[in-house]
Amino acid sequence: MKVGIVGSGFVGSAAAYAMALTGAVREVVLVDLDESLARAHAEDILHATPFAHPVWVRAGGYPELAGARVVVLAAGVAQRPGETRLQLLDRNAQVFAQIVPRVLQVAPEAILLVATNPVDVMTQVAYRLSGLPPGRVVGSGTILDTARFRALLAEHLRVAPQSVHAYVVGEHGDSEVLLFSGAQVGGVPLLAFAEARGTPLTPEDLRRIDEGVRRAAYRIIAGKGATYYGIGAGLARLVRAILTDEKGVYTVSVFTPGVEGVGEVALSLPRILGAEGVEATVYPSLDEGERQALRRSAEILKEAASSLGF
């Protein structure tokens, strides 16, 4: 199946590369304001396909998105060192006002997969601009934060991260909420597993893991200017879930009627993802501290979106 990617910078090109290496799609079309950049990435990635899967990777304009099952929105200005995702708002909202109508004009049946930061607010912007049902405008949300959370827990416990079931919800950003209380490893509650494994989690360990997840993007941006490999792989995984009608559970961001008393806000919760986009939300169990933190995260995002009129 065909997938379009609008914006072939670091994130868009990394997503295209991950899709090609994993064989998640049959055809990828890269669209960018800088046509030479899109052509260069498409050619470079195409040359990797003999080592991986027979994926047709090419550059094109908006008309070439016709028939795309999923269109990844990765266009926008980059996050600067020390800049929060929410500070990107004004600049990237203007970009989406130009992009979203053009995408839907040629690919009205596509699911929009939003990657541009701040992703939760940009998901809400794309939803309002598109007029599509909420489940068809999906933000990558906290899929990467959840992956980081599971990886750090797995490292401490000395187990495979695939055996760790733990979620990060709320904003993909500073107010995100790591759900320690409901985390499990192999079906066993986190703290009980840690004790049985001989690797107890102390309050200091919990703070270290929280900091490791919450500040990861800032460390990476300070070191190399941008984050792209992790989210590129995450986007390829979400595309695969949609194209195969997987109905897997992922912490993606969609416009939500209400969460913890805050109405009409896009944020991440565990969601069932399939061929029609987000089909349902699996609301996680929360302790009181997590509930308050999630409400605060929702309030921050609601305020940010409202400031733009969305």
Side-chain angles (χ1 to χ4, degrees):
M1 290 187 180
K2 181 194 288 188
V3 171
I5 300 177
V6 180
S8 56
F10 286 124
V11 171
S13 61
Y17 184 53
M19 290 177 204
L21 289 187
T22 59
V25 303
R26 182 65 186 88
E27 179 182 355
V28 179
V29 178
L30 292 173
V31 178
D32 199 281
L33 187 63
D34 185 342
E35 295 179 3
S36 63
L37 177 66
R39 284 195 301 269
H41 277 308
E43 184 176 1
D44 196 12
I45 296 168
L46 181 66
H47 296 166
T49 58
F51 305 110
H53 298 273
V55 178
W56 184 23
V57 185
R58 62 191 178 101
Y62 285 93
E64 279 68 49
L65 296 177
R69 187 70 186 86
V70 181
V71 176
V72 178
L73 303 182
V77 293
Q79 187 175 1
R80 297 164 178 163
E83 182 180 37
T84 68
R85 294 179 179 94
L86 292 179
Q87 289 171 327
L88 292 172
L89 265 178
D90 288 334
R91 295 187 290 155
N92 281 338
Q94 295 174 28
V95 173
F96 268 37
Q98 301 297 318
I99 289 174
V100 171
R102 298 184 70 182
V103 169
L104 293 178
Q105 183 178 16
V106 296
E109 301 302 317
I111 290 171
L112 302 183
L113 180 53
V114 181
T116 302
N117 277 322
V119 69
D120 302 291
V121 181
M122 296 311 300
T123 298
Q124 186 154 337
V125 170
Y127 163 69
R128 295 293 196 192
L129 290 170
S130 71
L132 295 174
R136 283 184 55 197
V137 183
V138 183
S140 57
T142 57
I143 56 163
L144 184 53
D145 309 282
T146 290
R148 289 165 174 162
F149 188 24
R150 293 178 178 182
L152 291 180
L153 286 173
E155 181 182 48
H156 179 88
L157 299 169
R158 302 195 302 276
V159 297
Q162 291 81 0
S163 296
V164 179
H165 299 278
Y167 297 115
V168 178
V169 298
E171 179 199 358
H172 172 52
D174 297 338
S175 71
E176 64 190 25
V177 185
L178 281 65
L179 301 184
F180 284 101
S181 71
Q184 295 186 344
V185 185
V188 178
L190 174 63
L191 297 182
F193 184 95
E195 289 290 342
R197 179 69 167 142
T199 55
L201 282 159
T202 66
E204 177 55 36
D205 290 325
L206 299 179
R207 284 192 294 270
R208 173 180 53 80
I209 291 170
D210 185 279
E211 178 74 6
V213 174
R214 195 177 303 277
R215 302 296 298 177
Y218 293 109
R219 292 192 304 274
I220 294 169
I221 291 169
K224 66 174 190 174
T227 66
Y228 39 92
Y229 291 131
I231 190 57
L235 290 166
R237 189 66 187 86
L238 294 179
V239 166
R240 179 181 174 185
I242 294 168
L243 297 184
T244 62
D245 195 21
E246 181 185 290
K247 302 188 190 302
V249 178
Y250 298 91
T251 51
V252 291
S253 182
V254 299
F255 180 80
T256 307
V259 57
E260 296 301 325
V262 180
E264 299 191 334
V265 62
L267 46 59
S268 285
L269 290 168
R271 321 270 191 179
I272 298 173
L273 188 64
E276 300 304 315
V278 168
E279 298 183 1
T281 295
V282 183
Y283 207 89
S285 60
L286 308 169
D287 65 24
E288 185 57 32
E290 291 165 348
R291 193 175 300 280
Q292 292 178 8
L294 180 56
R295 176 181 176 84
R296 178 56 182 154
S297 187
E299 289 172 341
I300 290 170
L301 292 169
K302 173 77 171 180
E303 181 180 355
S306 296
S307 72
L308 294 176
F310 291 93

